[in-house]
Amino acid sequence: MDKIAGARFDPEINRIFKPLKKMQLLTEFLFMAMVSAKFILLIEVQKTIDSISPDNLTTTQHYLKVCALMILCFFLINCVFQYFFRNLQYNSHYTLIKSLFGLALEKDCAFHEKYVSSAVLSMVKDDSKFISDWKSIGIITVTGNVVTMVFAFVIMLRYSVLITAVIFLAILFCFCVTQYISKIISAKTYDLQVSNTEMNRKIIDYLNGIRDIKQFKKEPFFRNRLADFIDRNTCRHSKGISQYYSVFTSIYAVLTTALPVLSILIGVILILQHRYTIGSMIAVFALAENLQEPVLTIPDFLNLRRQAMAMQNKMLPVLQTRPASYAVDALEHLDSFTFHSDSYRFPDGKTILNHVDFVIQKGEPVLIRGESGKGKTSLFNLISRFYSTHGQAVSMEYNGVPVETIPPQLYYQHVLQAQQLPTIFQDTVLGNITLGESYPAQELEEVLHTACLEEFVKVKGLDYLIGQNGENISGGQRQRLGLARVLLRKPDLLMLDEPTSALDPELAKALTRRVVQYCRRHSIALILISHNDSFEQYYREMKMEVKIICV
């Protein structure tokens, strides 16, 4: 953790927070103004008390007016400061979330295969809170409290060197102890955060398997499994944090009582020796109270910085970007697509797609055949670049151009896959199909007809709001919405994975006919995985040639 404390923030983090610099400077200025107003008020209170006498009422009244004015100024400055301070804290976190989410979206599919959505969510939303708090209010708080301590000791020296020295030594000792405890708390907080991420992953994993858990009556097993993990990991880390925080806060409690009382005891002795005034004693008492917060706040926020650096290390998969260089900046419509695979190896050692070679021509229909588990869907995922070919004996060429040299955004203008279980967003029917883009009404109508959605739209309407992951529509409607989304973009190469699996026979026949006609009309090369022979049967009836590829 010491190495973490001396580390620097990633340039991407600094870039994200750069636009907030002006707001930070303004908030820092308000903090300094608030501290200045507070100490000026203390000095004026001391002068007021020491001026009290029957012969000096005019001077006392003047000091009272100044004190009242300073109280008003302090109140107003504090109100403005608190608004900017809290606003900066919230805005910084939301700014970081937006930026990190954007970075996560820019990652290739291999990244999202490696890091499940719950882990990415933790990095983007939860882990980022430590960084945003330090980069926004942490620096301001530490700087402001250091200035508070310096001002307090300088003013205190004006009243008594002895009291200042005693309080300084006491604070120095407490500061060293709290700084040491903060480092331990920081390390344990990081361990707790890692444990929480793993706990979230387990909960999501178990909930996703709720059907099997119910079928096999394994509720007690998985409940105990999670409880055991929480007891052995999460609770153990949180217990350690609680123990050290109890010492940390106890020091604060001692300071809250001991420092002001100590200043009064020494002050009374000095007053009896006629080396001190009552006003000075009250001022030093107030200054001692003002030193309590910096003593606890500074180590606490330095601890926050260590936690932020640790969380940054955890978030590096999202933050680190490797500038991709592609040899291609333009792509013509498809003439041919070549696929070659000696074999594709999964991390567990399983190999598929052994000695698979084929060429797809413009507008050509292709059927993929093979036993279950032989790699039909993986073949689609490779062509779609959802799986990385790095280190694999697999190569693909689009019009003779190696696929890996083509920018993904450009590639997906020509090659698209309609997945068997498409993602349906919480949006309208229209929003799920267009994804925020504008298309002519005629093209939209053609796609709705091709995907056999015209009756659904007639009943529900394009503005019908679909629930998360299509919870309020049927599986067949979800599948056809995903198909319409792809068809609307008119790719040169279209991959359909079991497009009629959730449809009744009559609807499957209608969809088959319309999709084939649509692809012929727009010269789309159609590659199909289907255990239903509706497409093959239709091609035979229409006496159309179709290429068969076995994997």
Side-chain angles (χ1 to χ4, degrees), residues 335-339 356-369 379-380 493 525-529 535-536 539-540 544-551:
D335 287 325
S336 66
F337 186 93
T338 305
F339 182 92
V356 177
D357 291 273
F358 58 83
V359 178
I360 301 171
Q361 304 295 334
K362 177 180 179 180
E364 185 176 28
V366 178
L367 292 177
I368 306 295
R369 285 179 176 171
L379 170 64
F380 272 19
L493 183 61
L526 176 61
I527 316 179
L528 285 153
I529 298 174
F535 278 91
E536 188 174 358
Y539 283 127
R540 280 200 305 265
M544 296 168 56
E545 289 188 12
V546 57
K547 179 179 288 186
I548 307 295
I549 297 173
C550 296
V551 298

Side-chain angles (χ1 to χ4, degrees), residues 276-300:
Y276 214 41
T277 65
I278 294 176
S280 298
M281 184 179 69
I282 292 174
V284 170
F285 174 83
L287 288 167
E289 283 198 319
N290 275 276
L291 285 170
Q292 297 164 19
E293 184 176 350
V295 171
L296 271 295
T297 300
I298 292 173
D300 208 19

Side-chain angles (χ1 to χ4, degrees), residues 330-345:
L331 208 58
E332 299 294 330
H333 286 292
L334 177 70
D335 287 325
S336 66
F337 186 93
T338 305
F339 182 92
H340 169 79
S341 170
D342 290 332
S343 68
Y344 180 84
R345 182 182 295 273

